């Protein structure tokens, strides 16, 4: 959360910083700010509440100019959403942008107050600027040395970039928990929270590691590790290719989310094709020795957050039912703060769209010390921290996802997880037919999804009935229970309607009390072993007057009634049903949000990449 960009160049870097901020806006969009040092070493600073385009508009009217600068897009943690709390923060000649949290900022603030510093903002960031300024005033010396002195005083996870008007030839950056990447140019260098912000100027990157301090000038990059030794970090060429650029265009869609929903047949196909060779599943990217490791697995632990947690939940059903492997699934933020027991020969799997989620990353780091067989991540961003720190990596081929609410990254996670399960089943020689069935079911999936996408107008009409609703209930069973959870999460995220998901069997243990003629109840009905039980749930809701929205395979026979809307979906193999049923859940949430006029791609208070705890 929060996006940082900085540049040292001979050219005017204002537009580069603004374009970088646009690319980083998925990390937070409460406010944005830019600071550029001009040729006379004067600071030009503009901060604005709201989105980057508001800042860009203000910059246009103030003609900023200079070769050294930093910029920031904020997702607030300390201090209200106000202009004064927007970054960059300054203390005289010192300018700071920051991503993360300084946990002990209150006590530092008091100490600084005694030394004569009064904070004008409520942020934890401003104290960093004052600390640097104080030490510089007391000790003098190079900026990088001063920063090394103040780091032991800061606790928390953070990344910071610092600029000094008295020495505008350089930027100093610190990575301590939150990601920072140096972009290498010719006669100019850059730094940002992620590569995307810098692809406009370079494709050569250096990934800072935790504890690193970097001093960046136009022509030099010096890095010290956490014990103060000068280190060489490898320069890598960006793996983000031209296809990724395609994913960044909205084309004719009015929202990225809609475009990403409609891209699912393609990206699911891509994910399948990259793992099937001559009619068999391949995990070639895991290396030649993978079967030795996989054959030792007796248990799987999956850790994730948000939507990724829901794909973990679905895969538990698959792993236990199909591969007969015991599996536990846990939310990362719970895992990191409890004493858990590692099962014998357990493989750790993390699932993360971004590969930067702070809780999932902490869980991975903790788990690596706990004695798991190894760590596998399922991720959409090949250059992310979680990918770099995992032993084994499976990449979903979803392309960049820009809408904050995950759609295509979720269904490609599910696709890849099913492929992984089929591979494990083959390895354990349990069932030769299953791999064939899974490949066949997956091959048919993109076409079936296309058919669901044709229901767009119909779902749009249904959505009308939700606009004055404050609550909704989602019900599903088996692998479709996590899909009900995902449907409810989508509705909450983008339409701000409170939605709860229940395993349908739990209906009479509480949520039925909420059902009356005003309550929409969304039920996922598949032609599986639960069908009769789901029909009972439908009846329980119907006789209490609940407004039923039943998403059902077309071969299911349901007794219709006035209170009931049946959304008929293509028949689907049970194995891939969770992937298929996700699509109408996304479409429903999208259309409700659209009618309500919320910001679909950037819902309030949320961010795509949660790099703080
Ligand atoms: C945020 C996003 C969600 C996402 C979750 C986990 O909350 O808004 O869409 O599911 O983070 O993110 P990850 O990148 O780890 O999948």
């Amino acid at each position: 959360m929060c996006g940082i960009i900085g540049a040292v160049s001979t050219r005017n870097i204002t537009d580069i910083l603004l374009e970088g901020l646009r690319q980083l806006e998925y990390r937070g969009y409460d406010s944005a700010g830019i600071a550029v040092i001009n040729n006379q070493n004067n600071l030009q600073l503009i901060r604005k509440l709201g989105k980057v385009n508001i800042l860009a508009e203000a910059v246009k009217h103030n003609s900023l100019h200079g070769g050294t600068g930093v910029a920031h897009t904020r997702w607030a943690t300390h201090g209200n959403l106000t202009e004064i709390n927007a970054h960059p923060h300054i203390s005289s000649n010192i300018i700071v942008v920051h991503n993360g949290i300084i946990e002990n900022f209150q006590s530092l603030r008091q100490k600084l107050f005694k030394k004569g510093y009064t904070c004008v903002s409520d942020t934890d960031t401003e104290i960093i600027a004052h600390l640097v300024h104080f030490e510089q005033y007391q000790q003098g010396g190079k900026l990088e040395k001063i920063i090394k002195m103040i780091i032991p005083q800061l606790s928390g996870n953070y990344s910071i970039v610092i600029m000094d008007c008295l020495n505008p030839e350089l930027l100093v950056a610190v990575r301590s928990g939150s990601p920072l990447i140096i972009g290498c140019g010719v006669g100019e260098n850059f730094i940002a929270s992620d590569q995307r912000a810098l692809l406009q100027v370079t494709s050569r990157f250096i990934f800072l590691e935790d504890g690193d301090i970097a001093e960046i000038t136009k022509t030099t990059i010096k890095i010290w590790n956490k014990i103060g030794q000068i280190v060489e970090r490898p320069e890598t060429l960006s793996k983000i290719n031209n296809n990724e650029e395609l994913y960044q265009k909205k084309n004719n869609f009015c929202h990225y989310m809609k475009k990403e929903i409609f891209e699912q047949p393609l990206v699911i196909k891509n994910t399948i094709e990259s793992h099937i060779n001559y009619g068999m599943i391949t995990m070639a990217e895991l290396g030649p020795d993978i079967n030795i490791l996989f054959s030792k697995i007796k248990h799987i632990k999956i850790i994730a957050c948000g939507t990724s947690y829901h794909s973990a939940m679905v895969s538990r059903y698959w792993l236990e039912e199909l591969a007969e492997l015991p599996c536990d699934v846990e939310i990362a933020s719970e895992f990191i703060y409890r004493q858990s027991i590692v099962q014998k020969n357990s493989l750790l799997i993390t699932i993360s769209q971004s590969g930067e989620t702070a809780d999932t990353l902490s869980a991975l780091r903790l788990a690596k010390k706990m004695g798991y067989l190894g760590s596998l991540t399922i991720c959409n961003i090949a250059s992310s921290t979680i990918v770099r720190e995992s032993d084994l990596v499976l990449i979903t081929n979803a392309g960049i996802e820009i809408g904050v609410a995950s759609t295509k990254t979720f269904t490609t996670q599910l696709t890849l997880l099913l492929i992984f399960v089929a591979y494990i089943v083959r390895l354990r020689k349990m069932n030769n037919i299953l791999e064939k069935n899974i490949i066949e079911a997956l091959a048919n999936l993109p076409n079936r999804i296309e058919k669901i996408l044709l229901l767009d107008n119909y779902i749009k009409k249904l959505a009308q009935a939700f606009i004055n609703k404050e609550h909704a209930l989602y019900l599903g069973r088996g692998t479709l229970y996590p899909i009900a959870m995902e449907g409810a999460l989508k509705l909450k995220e983008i339409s701000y309607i409170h939605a709860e998901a229940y395993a349908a069997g739990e209906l009479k243990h509480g949520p039925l009390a909420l059902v009356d003629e005003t309550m929409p109840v969304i039920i996922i009905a598949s032609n599986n072993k639960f069908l009769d039980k789901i029909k009972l749930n439908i009846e329980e809701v119907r006789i209490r007057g609940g407004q039923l929205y039943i998403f059902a395979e077309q071969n299911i026979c349901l007794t219709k009634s006035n209170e009931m809307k049946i959304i008929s979906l293509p028949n689907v193999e049970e194995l891939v049903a969770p992937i298929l049923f996700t699509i109408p859940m996304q479409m429903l949430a999208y259309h409700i949000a659209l009618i309500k006029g919320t910001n679909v791609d950037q819902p309030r208070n949320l961010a795509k990449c949660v790099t703080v705890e």
Side-chain angles (χ1 to χ4, degrees):
M1 282 158 151
C2 295
I4 290 177
I5 178 165
V8 208
S9 175
T10 38
R11 56 176 162 160
N12 179 15
I13 41 78
T14 309
D15 286 345
I16 296 170
L17 296 183
L18 284 175
E19 177 51 27
L21 284 190
R22 285 187 196 99
Q23 297 299 329
L24 290 169
E25 206 168 16
Y26 73 95
R27 303 175 77 93
Y29 31 80
D30 294 336
S31 58
I34 182 168
V36 174
I37 303 176
N38 71 11
N39 292 343
Q40 289 79 45
N41 289 3
N42 293 325
L43 180 69
Q44 303 151 281
L45 171 74
I46 303 181
R47 295 179 293 195
K48 287 286 164 198
L49 200 54
K51 302 279 164 65
V52 171
N53 57 10
I54 300 174
L55 177 75
E57 202 50 41
V59 169
K60 241 197 241 166
H61 297 114
N62 286 276
S63 58
L64 265 58
H65 199 281
T68 303
V70 290
H72 186 270
T73 177
R74 180 175 187 235
W75 187 87
T77 56
H78 290 100
N80 293 349
L81 312 186
T82 59
E83 201 165 295
I84 206 85
N85 286 335
H87 299 215
H89 287 280
I90 54 174
S91 182
S92 183
N93 50 301
I94 299 296
I95 299 99
V96 178
V97 284
H98 161 221
N99 167 25
I101 294 174
I102 306 299
E103 286 163 1
N104 57 337
F105 89 104
Q106 288 290 13
S107 61
L108 291 170
R109 200 179 162 111
Q110 279 156 20
K111 275 189 205 157
L112 284 162
F113 183 73
K114 287 182 190 143
K115 288 171 179 148
Y117 288 88
T118 310
C119 289
V120 293
S121 76
D122 306 316
T123 65
D124 48 348
T125 310
E126 192 185 345
I127 59 110
I128 305 171
H130 293 317
L131 277 176
V132 175
H133 182 263
F134 174 73
E135 294 297 345
Q136 189 182 54
Y137 184 72
Q138 293 291 311
Q139 323 273 342
K142 292 180 77 180
L143 189 58
E144 143 262 326
K145 284 218 175 90
I146 292 158
I147 289 162
K148 280 181 193 155
M149 268 191 299
I150 70 151
I151 282 173
Q153 299 178 51
L154 306 176
S155 62
N157 278 345
Y158 55 84
S159 58
I160 45 183
V161 178
I162 300 162
M163 179 168 88
D164 182 358
C165 280
L166 300 178
N167 186 6
E169 296 300 309
L170 55 86
L171 296 174
V172 176
V174 184
R175 176 185 170 151
S176 180
S178 306
L180 269 184
I181 293 152
I182 295 173
C184 313
V186 178
E188 56 185 7
N189 285 309
F190 307 89
I191 185 138
S193 301
D194 85 22
Q195 293 178 60
R196 264 155 70 181
L198 300 179
L199 283 171
Q200 51 167 331
V201 281
T202 184
S203 52
R204 295 185 294 129
F205 294 101
I206 295 172
F207 293 87
L208 291 181
E209 292 187 8
D210 259 356
D212 282 356
I213 298 176
E215 183 197 74
I216 301 158
T217 71
K218 282 175 231 161
T219 49
T220 60
I221 295 166
K222 259 196 214 166
I223 302 171
W224 294 264
N225 66 11
K226 62 176 144 210
I227 54 169
Q229 295 161 328
I230 292 253
V231 282
E232 290 279 329
R233 301 275 178 233
E235 188 183 297
T236 53
L237 265 187
S238 172
K239 292 192 184 117
I240 300 181
N241 55 31
N242 292 339
N243 279 348
E244 297 292 309
E245 276 174 39
L246 289 181
Y247 290 119
Q248 294 192 49
K249 301 212 167 87
K250 233 190 258 177
N251 300 337
N252 292 328
F253 291 93
C254 42
H255 293 102
Y256 280 109
M257 184 178 177
K258 183 153 190 196
K259 174 177 165 268
E260 287 157 2
I261 290 173
F262 275 69
E263 267 168 11
Q264 289 175 108
L266 173 71
V267 295
I268 287 174
K269 193 162 165 270
N270 290 346
T271 300
I272 299 167
E273 281 174 358
S274 59
H275 289 94
I276 294 185
N277 202 7
Y278 294 108
M280 282 179 81
I281 286 171
T282 159
M283 295 267 137
E285 69 264 58
L286 299 181
D289 298 332
I290 197 57
N291 290 358
I292 301 171
L293 177 83
F294 277 4
S295 55
K296 290 186 193 148
I297 302 173
K298 294 270 179 286
H299 174 266
I300 290 187
K301 171 90 176 183
I302 313 183
I303 297 177
C305 302
T307 288
S308 298
Y309 174 69
H310 296 154
S311 63
M313 284 183 75
V314 174
S315 66
R316 179 175 55 186
Y317 287 89
W318 287 334
L319 278 163
E320 297 207 337
E321 267 177 52
L322 308 175
E324 293 174 20
L325 263 181
C327 172
D328 289 314
V329 170
E330 192 158 355
I331 292 169
S333 54
E334 289 297 313
F335 175 78
I336 51 184
Y337 289 110
R338 79 179 183 92
Q339 193 91 35
S340 67
I341 293 165
V342 184
Q343 302 292 321
K344 204 164 167 230
N345 289 343
S346 182
L347 176 75
L348 177 88
I349 300 183
T350 55
I351 306 177
S352 175
Q353 174 281 128
S354 62
E356 299 294 350
T357 302
D359 289 328
T360 312
L361 179 59
S362 303
L364 169 66
R365 287 176 177 166
L366 174 69
K368 283 180 84 172
K369 297 183 203 139
M370 289 173 71
Y372 284 92
L373 267 183
S375 58
L376 165 72
T377 192
I378 292 187
C379 188
N380 197 43
I381 308 290
S383 58
S384 64
T385 312
I386 291 179
V387 164
R388 281 181 290 117
E389 296 195 13
S390 296
D391 304 330
L392 303 164
V393 177
L394 289 173
I395 296 289
T396 47
N397 284 313
I400 286 176
E401 187 178 70
I402 293 179
V404 165
S406 292
T407 52
K408 60 175 182 168
T409 54
F410 177 65
T411 48
T412 50
Q413 282 170 357
L414 288 177
T415 305
L416 197 45
L417 282 159
L418 187 56
I419 289 172
F420 167 74
V421 172
Y423 187 81
I424 296 279
V425 170
R426 186 209 313 152
L427 198 68
R428 289 161 71 90
K429 296 191 179 58
M430 294 161 58
N431 184 342
N432 293 336
I433 308 161
L434 185 76
E435 182 180 4
K436 195 172 151 281
N437 289 347
I438 288 181
I439 293 177
E440 215 172 282
L442 285 172
N444 293 331
L445 194 59
N447 277 341
R448 293 191 173 137
I449 294 175
E450 296 280 7
K451 287 194 184 125
I452 295 184
L453 296 174
L454 296 176
L455 297 175
D456 196 46
N457 272 331
Y458 177 57
I459 293 179
K460 187 174 171 181
K461 281 189 200 129
L462 288 182
Q464 285 290 348
F466 284 76
I467 53 170
N468 295 319
K469 297 291 174 196
E470 285 176 5
H471 309 278
L473 193 59
Y474 283 71
L475 301 174
R477 278 189 94 128
T479 51
L480 300 175
Y481 164 44
I483 302 310
M485 294 175 76
E486 178 58 12
L489 178 63
K490 289 291 90 93
L491 191 69
K492 280 182 274 208
E493 283 179 307
I494 60 169
S495 76
Y496 317 147
I497 293 174
H498 167 234
E500 274 200 73
Y502 269 88
E506 283 288 291
L507 179 64
K508 29 182 135 27
H509 298 294
L512 199 52
L514 299 169
V515 174
D516 61 15
E517 56 289 348
T518 64
M519 177 64 111
V521 181
I522 293 106
I523 298 190
I524 306 175
S526 178
N527 209 347
N528 59 19
K529 63 181 175 197
F530 298 116
L531 184 58
D532 287 340
K533 295 186 188 309
I534 283 282
K535 283 183 176 173
L536 272 177
N537 295 134
I538 293 173
E539 189 57 10
E540 284 158 0
V541 173
R542 190 192 67 76
I543 57 178
R544 286 165 181 89
Q547 300 175 356
L548 279 156
Y549 295 84
I550 304 167
F551 290 80
E553 277 172 76
Q554 60 201 24
N555 62 357
I556 294 179
C557 189
L558 292 167
T559 324
K560 292 189 182 146
S561 77
N562 290 342
E563 310 78 30
M564 206 184 262
K565 296 269 183 301
I566 298 173
I567 301 93
S568 193
L569 304 176
N571 300 329
V572 65
E573 294 84 356
E574 189 176 345
L575 284 168
V576 296
I579 309 175
L580 185 102
F581 276 96
T582 300
I583 315 294
M585 300 294 116
Q586 299 166 344
M587 292 162 79
L588 181 66
Y590 171 77
H591 282 297
I592 296 170
L594 196 65
I595 298 167
K596 289 192 76 178
T598 60
N599 189 330
V600 173
D601 285 334
Q602 294 181 334
R604 70 182 179 203
N605 307 338
L606 300 182
K608 182 124 199 94
C609 181
V610 182
T611 55
V612 292
E613 260 195 39

